Amino acid sequence: MGLLAYDPSRLESLRAALRGALDDLAGVRSDDPLAADANATVIGARRALGDLCLQRVTDILNADPMGSYHKAKVNGNDIRQTLIYTMRDSYGWKVATDPLDDDALQVTAAEARALGFRLQHGNLNKLTDTPEEVAFIAGQLAIINADPQLRAEFLANMTDLAELADKLGRDRIDEVSTLLWEGYDPPVSARVAAIDAAIEQLSHVYQARPGTANHAAPYPTWVSEVEPFTAALLLRYANLDPMTLGFVANDLLVRWRNTRPDDEGRDESAWTDLNVEQGPKTADILFQLMLDTPGATTVYVKEAANDPFSMWMSASDYRLAQRVALQGTDPANMTAADSAAVLKSFIEFAGSSQYRDFGGSPYLLHPTDYPTFLGSLVAPWLRQFSVDSLDWDSLKTDDRDALLTAVLKDKGALGILVASLHDTVDTLKAEVDQQGLTKQTAKEFSGLIGMLGQLIVDQKFCNEQEREEAWNSVWGLAGDGLGFLPVPAVVGLAINKALGKAQELVADKGWLAAPEPDRVKDKEQYKFEWMVTVTTATMAITIYDQLGLPGDHRPPEPDPTQSEPMAQYEHDFNEWLNSADVVVLGPGIDTIDQWKELFIDPFAAGASLGGT
Amino acid sequence: MLRTMSAKISSSRALDVHNFAGPDTWVGPTPQVCLEALVGVRRDLQNQQQRLVASAKLLERQADDLEQQQLVPKMVS
């Protein structure tokens, strides 16, 4: 049983018109056989006019209490009766029962107008207080969105979409909080699903609203009309391109973090989502959306670097922010030039008062592991911290030094960086495979090893076991370094063949095993120098042998008995070089000298950077 | 006769009655059904009215053709 509304005087006019039409058709008939169809149509028309329409109009006007159409009340708080209520309330129409049910799958222009009117002027608390009503709104809007004319009718009567959108957004916050507190509850879940469906349709309305967006300016300006949380929900269905989404997300979170509703004349003391303990906040919604939109996180973190507070102190689950940062700054997604500014900002944030003194809401967990997380953030860009890297022109050596030092204040971050060294080496190797070995690559590698070796020397690791593990990693990398030989043209392919020989030599001598514990116990500086010296000497000898030079004048071997093995080796090497018969050894001696200069010197430079 | 019937249909108020049955007059399930019915009546009547005219024209053309055939001199065999 449904309801209908009517204007009595107009319905009287309709009745008169129907009677007149029936009178006109009464004499319409022809005996011509060719008019048979027309005769049948006229008979059908009279039946429709009379039995279907006139009879019903008369019944309505008679308003027989015992009839199908009798006087009825309308519930003004039921959105499903909005058209009937609006016509009665605004235009003084009468309301009657209707034996037919309303077809919710059909929306007329009048219904679209009335829906907009009621949602604009009605009591939203009462119009949306059941899942069925919210689902009804979603269903009606879905039909309206499919028809530009209906949407125009709706929007003509509803200029303030924000109030409804914010109402639904706040209700969702409450309902999700209830679910998280009390567990699964079918009615509450149904309401959340209905709200999401309505939010989706509202998002489409916003996107299609005239003047909202166009191809030249896809920025959805409507996000500023609603609470940030509501905007985040709406954006899930806005299908923004990654760049626009990244910009919008940053703008929203800056607004969320730096503006309070009371600044805009509202009563609340804070954004709704900030006042609810359980459930996602604006940032959680946006972060997940960007993670699901390839390319968005990179745009976002570049923007967020200007205001890291808005990124790192906004989410209920700050690990989402970490995932955004890792994805956004992944070298596969971000250029080295861009990474410098982003990493600088995020690293410096850890030392800021904004991070240290953050009180904020009790419902936002303080990301206490942020300093450790920075190790993961920095790891893919470790080589850029090397003094020899050319990627970060915007950062002076001192700046890189200070940033890396800040990261390594956290032991966890240091451990992550050491553990990631092999990945860094793999990256360098991949470059060598693609571009051939360059002096720059070798310098970066050796500088990297030196930098981290010195960090260990400086006893950043308090625990002996941690220190040993770190050493083992760096020690292993020294072996990897053998694969980074510079290959001068004069030596050519012979050097490549030397790699296996070099590894055999190192193994035979046991040089890359840890030095004897008794003699070097607690002398990390010695360990570091020893590693560098071994690497350099090994390759010098290997190159010498591979070139087929006379065996009685090999380059010097490292001497583990020396307290300063690197200085001693350099001394021995220079003596060897000065005493070498250049005529006999030929250009190969230059190659060996170049190797020594190329590898051991950047080691020292890297050590200088790491020793902070 | 066909043209006469067509003229009656085209002048019938049945073609305009739907204008009184729109959402300015009433709204609801029954009003929607009635409005759609009246729009359907108008459409059907207009179709039949046009068919009646077309049939009348066809008959008139056929009559003209027959008349023309009778005027053509025939060779005597």
Side-chain angles (χ1 to χ4, degrees), chain A residues 390-410:
Chain A
L390 302 177
D391 291 339
W392 281 1
D393 288 343
S394 60
L395 288 179
K396 296 176 182 176
T397 302
D398 288 348
D399 293 333
R400 301 182 201 183
D401 189 357
L403 290 173
L404 190 60
T405 299
V407 173
L408 296 175
K409 283 179 181 174
D410 184 271

Side-chain angles (χ1 to χ4, degrees), chain A residues 3-7 10-11 14 17-18 20-21 24-25 27-28 30 32 34-35 37-39 41 45 48-49 52-53 56-57 60 69 83 93 98 100-102 106 108, chain B residues 1-2 5 8-9 11-15 17-18 20-38 41 44-45 48-49 51-52 55-56 59:
Chain A
L3 293 173
L4 63 82
Y6 62 97
D7 179 330
R10 284 179 174 270
L11 201 58
L14 172 60
L18 287 166
D24 288 350
L25 290 179
V28 178
S30 173
D32 191 314
L34 289 175
D37 285 349
N39 287 332
T41 297
L49 292 170
L52 184 63
C53 295
R56 295 183 182 189
V57 168
I60 293 169
Y69 301 94
L83 176 59
W93 285 19
D98 191 327
L100 301 178
D101 282 326
D102 187 40
Q106 188 177 18
T108 65
Chain B
M1 285 195 295
L2 296 178
M5 186 177 186
K8 286 182 177 178
I9 289 175
S11 63
S12 164
R13 283 171 283 181
L15 296 183
V17 70
H18 68 282
F20 294 85
D24 291 343
T25 300
W26 58 348
V27 293
T30 290
Q32 187 65 25
V33 168
C34 284
L35 176 61
E36 290 171 2
L38 295 177
V41 163
D44 293 345
L45 289 174
Q48 289 301 333
Q49 182 253 330
R51 286 181 186 176
L52 289 170
S55 296
L59 287 175

Side-chain angles (χ1 to χ4, degrees), chain A residues 255-334:
Chain A
R255 177 179 159 219
W256 188 90
R257 172 47 60 199
N258 298 331
T259 312
R260 287 290 180 271
D262 52 2
D263 295 337
E264 301 172 357
R266 301 189 193 185
D267 293 329
E268 296 88 345
S269 60
W271 298 118
T272 307
D273 57 336
L274 192 58
N275 280 330
V276 178
E277 179 172 353
Q278 293 276 3
K281 310 290 182 255
T282 301
D284 299 85
I285 302 285
L286 290 173
F287 289 160
Q288 189 59 59
L289 178 59
M290 287 189 285
L291 287 167
D292 295 338
T293 308
T297 53
T298 299
V299 177
Y300 170 71
V301 294
K302 285 163 62 177
E303 292 299 304
N306 298 315
D307 186 358
F309 189 56
S310 66
M311 174 178 181
W312 293 108
M313 298 299 166
S314 300
S316 173
D317 179 3
Y318 60 79
R319 286 173 184 79
L320 276 173
Q322 294 179 351
R323 287 175 57 200
V324 167
L326 290 175
Q327 186 189 83
T329 61
D330 188 309
N333 302 325
M334 177 174 276

Side-chain angles (χ1 to χ4, degrees), chain A residues 21 47 102 176-177 222 254 309 312-313 350 362 386 419 506 557 559 565:
Chain A
R47 189 174 297 130
D102 187 40
V176 169
S177 178
W222 48 262
V254 168
F309 189 56
W312 293 108
M313 298 299 166
S386 163
V506 170
E557 295 185 0
D559 184 356

Side-chain angles (χ1 to χ4, degrees), chain A residues 155-223:
Chain A
L155 285 172
N157 288 277
M158 189 178 190
T159 54
D160 183 11
L161 294 168
E163 188 176 352
L164 173 63
D166 276 336
K167 171 70 171 62
L168 294 173
R170 286 192 291 270
D171 285 352
R172 191 185 192 279
I173 292 171
D174 291 339
E175 302 294 10
V176 169
S177 178
T178 300
L179 283 176
L180 292 171
W181 274 114
E182 301 177 5
Y184 177 67
D185 183 342
V188 178
S189 296
R191 184 161 160 75
V192 171
I195 288 172
D196 283 346
I199 288 281
E200 177 179 3
Q201 295 307 323
L202 275 177
S203 178
H204 297 329
V205 174
Y206 265 119
Q207 283 293 78
R209 196 174 62 175
T212 292
N214 54 54
H215 294 298
Y219 192 99
T221 53
W222 48 262
V223 295

